[in-house]
Amino acid sequence: MRLGLMAVPVAFFAVFFAYPVSAIVGRGLKTDGVWQFGRIGDVLSRPDILDVLWFTTWQALASTALTLLIALPGAYVFARFDFPGKQVLRAVVTVPFVLPTVVVGTAFLALLGRGGFLDELWGVRLDTTVWAILLAHVFFNYAVVVRTVGGLWAQLDPRQEEAARVLGAGRFAAWRRVTLPALGPAVAAAALMVFLFTFTSFGVVQILGGPAYSTLEVEVYRQTAQLLDLPTAAVLTMVQFVAVGAILALHAVTVRRRERALKLVDPAQTSRRPHGAGQRALLGGVLLTALLLILLPLGVLVERSFDGPGGYGLGYYEALQSAGGSGSTFLVPPLEAVGNSLQYAFVATLIALVVGGLAAAALTRRAGRLVRGFDALLMLPLGVSAVTVGFGFLITLDKPPLDLRTSWILVPLAQALVGVPFVVRTMLPVLRAVDDRLREAAAVLGASPLRAWREVDLPLVRRAVLIAAGFAFAVSLGEFGATVFIARPDNPTLPVAVARLLGRSGELNYGQAMALSTILMLVCAVSLLLLERIRTDRSGEF
């Protein structure tokens, strides 16, 4: 039964992940059928590549440290304080995380770039500087720390820290000796996740970094799409895969430590109204940070989308309905990208739910090395450059029986690869929580395995399925690295359309990019709010 459930996910990953990636690596490191491993040393000894590796690493470390510094106070406020609008604010600070990186880059370009908000107000420009990249990464990952650390912090029993203070410890000493050790694994897990996302950053660096800054992901794209240097791209793909694999393994260890070590209480017992000048000041500081860091870039993005040459209006939105002349960026009106993205995301979500749902069902019962290896396989798309996957699709899926290079299904297949891990991680804990005795009782009553799953598991996990669908849909909407290679010119997605507009000069192209980014932001925000509502309903029922 377990092997039957694993068959479809294994086949899916073998055909649409392992085959394209291995083909890219093979083309880059093989000559006349002979492996040329000496190219690895040749590439990694180049000064320009060493600069890319160094910048990728240190900007990820700096982004992680800055995110923790800014977001940990927010995690405490959301964990310990009860205040009006808390749920709404929690949803607002989570919006950036589900936004496509292209939109994040565009929002900060409108805030920090030439003619941006700060440029007009104080004559300050930060685009093409590392500070723009770091701030955008904090904006994007703020919710990771708030959700991961704050969610755990809310469930820690505050009486342990109070007992330490009764025994004579000061406030900071009690926190350092009691609360911090309990939070340590959660902080480490959040830090590793932020490091992972910033280490593989593509859209943000591509838009804000300019020619001076390049991460591994951006360099793979440049070597593949612009220079056609497959050996260098193959080596960089392998380096990124090894590095991210190590990060994911370390993250898994910290998660296991967190799950074993802690005794949790109901969050309702730990949340209270802020009292005293210090706590009110902390709450005010967190609210101000959310306003400046989260709402200001999004607000400037929306404002720029309405600020046309003739004053505020819908000019840029109306221009999205026209494909333009012979020199236009698009073969079709850019507004069609909205419908394309929704259709692609819908199909990608269905694929991710089927593949991820079968995989989660196969993993429900813990087993030996085979199943653990299968679990690791599902996470591999997070450790390989999406650019490599997209280019691999073009050079491998071009012959019968899988001649898909001109087919629309190619885009949702690439998007589903990224969505499957989110589906598995959302559904698996719920499936493992289902009492096996319910399944055994259904079997005793004569139900087949399929009917037992339909009658027992599905009713209990249906909300987890909806949450997984929401994550997969949002991720599919924002996928850019692979889609930029395989989206057809007459069927662009929203992130690809925004990047193309930003890549051309002219006020009209810039304004249309702002308008499309605003539309994409609203679609993602609506998906998130629906997801939050499902979460709230679920917590209320269970």
Side-chain angles (χ1 to χ4, degrees):
M1 179 66 180
R2 185 192 298 273
L3 293 178
L5 292 172
M6 292 168 55
V8 171
V10 168
F12 178 79
F13 275 79
V15 174
F16 298 113
F17 177 73
Y19 178 40
V21 171
S22 61
I24 287 288
V25 174
R27 288 202 179 193
L29 298 181
K30 273 186 177 181
T31 300
D32 297 328
V34 178
W35 287 96
Q36 305 292 331
F37 291 109
R39 291 177 180 172
I40 298 177
D42 295 339
V43 171
L44 295 182
S45 63
R46 286 165 45 183
D48 59 325
I49 298 300
L50 291 176
D51 288 342
V52 170
L53 292 173
W54 169 243
F55 175 74
T56 301
T57 304
W58 85 256
Q59 67 81 25
L61 289 171
S63 297
T64 302
L66 192 59
T67 302
L68 289 174
L69 180 66
I70 295 176
L72 282 176
Y76 174 77
V77 166
F78 280 106
R80 295 303 198 200
F81 292 168
D82 185 21
F83 54 91
K86 178 178 176 179
Q87 297 301 325
V88 174
L89 184 60
R90 189 195 301 273
V92 168
V93 300
T94 311
V95 166
F97 185 68
V98 300
L99 286 180
T101 55
V102 171
V103 173
V104 175
T106 306
F108 274 81
L109 190 65
L111 177 65
L112 307 175
R114 181 187 298 274
F117 180 77
L118 293 185
D119 190 18
E120 291 183 351
L121 195 61
W122 293 307
V124 175
R125 283 188 57 196
L126 294 177
D127 62 321
T128 69
T129 70
V130 71
W131 284 108
I133 296 172
L134 296 181
L135 288 174
H137 283 162
V138 175
F139 168 88
F140 188 77
N141 293 292
Y142 184 88
V144 175
V145 178
V146 169
R147 291 278 183 169
T148 304
V149 180
L152 178 64
W153 211 334
Q155 294 178 277
L156 294 180
D157 191 345
R159 291 174 295 183
Q160 297 179 1
E161 186 175 324
E162 293 169 359
R165 295 188 63 191
V166 169
L167 294 175
R171 182 183 296 273
F172 178 74
W175 180 83
R176 179 172 57 86
R177 294 176 182 175
V178 177
T179 304
L180 183 58
L183 286 177
V187 174
L192 284 168
M193 291 299 291
V194 174
F195 185 87
L196 171 66
F197 292 135
T198 53
F199 188 84
T200 58
S201 182
F202 177 57
V204 167
V205 179
Q206 181 85 338
I207 293 174
L208 295 176
Y213 299 105
S214 180
T215 57
L216 274 173
E217 190 89 355
V218 174
E219 190 64 19
V220 169
Y221 174 76
R222 190 174 77 90
Q223 296 290 339
T224 303
Q226 299 176 8
L227 304 180
L228 299 179
D229 187 351
L230 287 185
T232 299
V235 172
L236 294 181
T237 295
M238 294 172 64
V239 170
Q240 186 179 38
F241 179 76
V242 171
V244 174
I247 295 168
L248 290 173
L250 186 58
H251 174 250
V253 171
T254 60
V255 168
R256 284 197 295 270
R257 284 182 57 198
R258 180 182 63 181
E259 289 176 343
R260 287 198 305 263
L262 302 177
K263 295 181 180 179
L264 307 178
V265 298
D266 186 354
Q269 301 176 11
T270 66
S271 182
R272 63 185 185 277
R273 293 277 184 174
H275 59 84
Q279 292 189 356
R280 293 191 183 95
L282 178 60
L283 175 59
V286 169
L287 294 178
L288 181 62
T289 299
L291 174 65
L292 295 178
L293 181 66
I294 307 296
L295 295 181
L296 183 59
L298 299 180
V300 171
L301 173 66
V302 175
E303 185 269 339
R304 289 287 187 257
S305 72
F306 290 103
D307 188 10
Y312 288 97
L314 299 175
Y316 292 139
Y317 290 89
E318 294 171 353
L320 294 175
Q321 304 177 44
S322 172
S326 58
S328 173
T329 310
F330 298 95
L331 301 178
V332 296
L335 196 60
E336 288 193 11
V338 178
N340 294 337
S341 285
L342 292 175
Q343 293 173 17
Y344 288 147
F346 179 75
V347 176
T349 300
L350 290 180
I351 297 173
L353 284 177
V354 172
V355 175
L358 290 173
L363 292 169
T364 298
R365 295 180 181 178
R366 296 177 176 85
R369 292 182 178 179
L370 176 64
V371 175
R372 289 198 299 270
F374 175 64
D375 193 8
L377 170 70
L378 301 174
M379 299 298 109
L380 286 180
L382 299 179
V384 172
S385 167
V387 171
T388 301
V389 174
F391 191 62
F393 271 31
L394 290 183
I395 67 172
T396 56
L397 303 180
D398 60 344
K399 299 176 183 178
L402 287 175
D403 188 3
L404 303 176
R405 190 161 54 176
T406 60
S407 174
W408 64 271
I409 195 65
L410 211 57
V411 174
L413 284 172
Q415 294 174 345
L417 277 173
V418 184
V420 167
F422 288 90
V423 172
V424 173
R425 291 302 161 215
T426 303
M427 294 182 60
L428 188 56
V430 181
L431 284 171
R432 283 179 172 170
V434 176
D435 193 337
D436 283 337
R437 290 174 296 183
L438 296 176
R439 301 186 182 101
E440 294 167 358
V444 169
L445 294 175
S448 65
L450 178 61
R451 184 177 179 184
W453 183 87
R454 188 176 68 247
E455 300 293 339
V456 176
D457 293 67
L458 185 58
L460 295 174
V461 302
R462 64 181 183 274
R463 280 189 171 81
V465 171
L466 292 175
I467 292 172
F471 274 122
F473 188 80
V475 169
S476 300
L477 275 177
E479 206 290 318
F480 176 62
T483 308
V484 72
F485 273 98
I486 57 182
R488 294 166 51 183
D490 57 341
N491 284 291
T493 64
L494 275 170
V496 171
V498 170
R500 289 180 185 173
L501 287 167
L502 288 175
R504 294 176 65 92
S505 60
E507 186 177 2
L508 178 61
N509 286 318
Y510 177 82
Q512 287 179 292
M514 298 295 136
L516 267 185
S517 296
T518 301
I519 293 172
L520 183 51
M521 178 188 70
L522 291 175
V523 173
C524 290
V526 169
S527 301
L528 175 67
L529 290 174
L530 291 176
L531 182 64
E532 283 289 319
R533 183 170 182 177
I534 293 171
R535 283 183 178 274
T536 304
D537 292 345
R538 182 182 174 217
S539 62
E541 179 174 331
F542 293 100

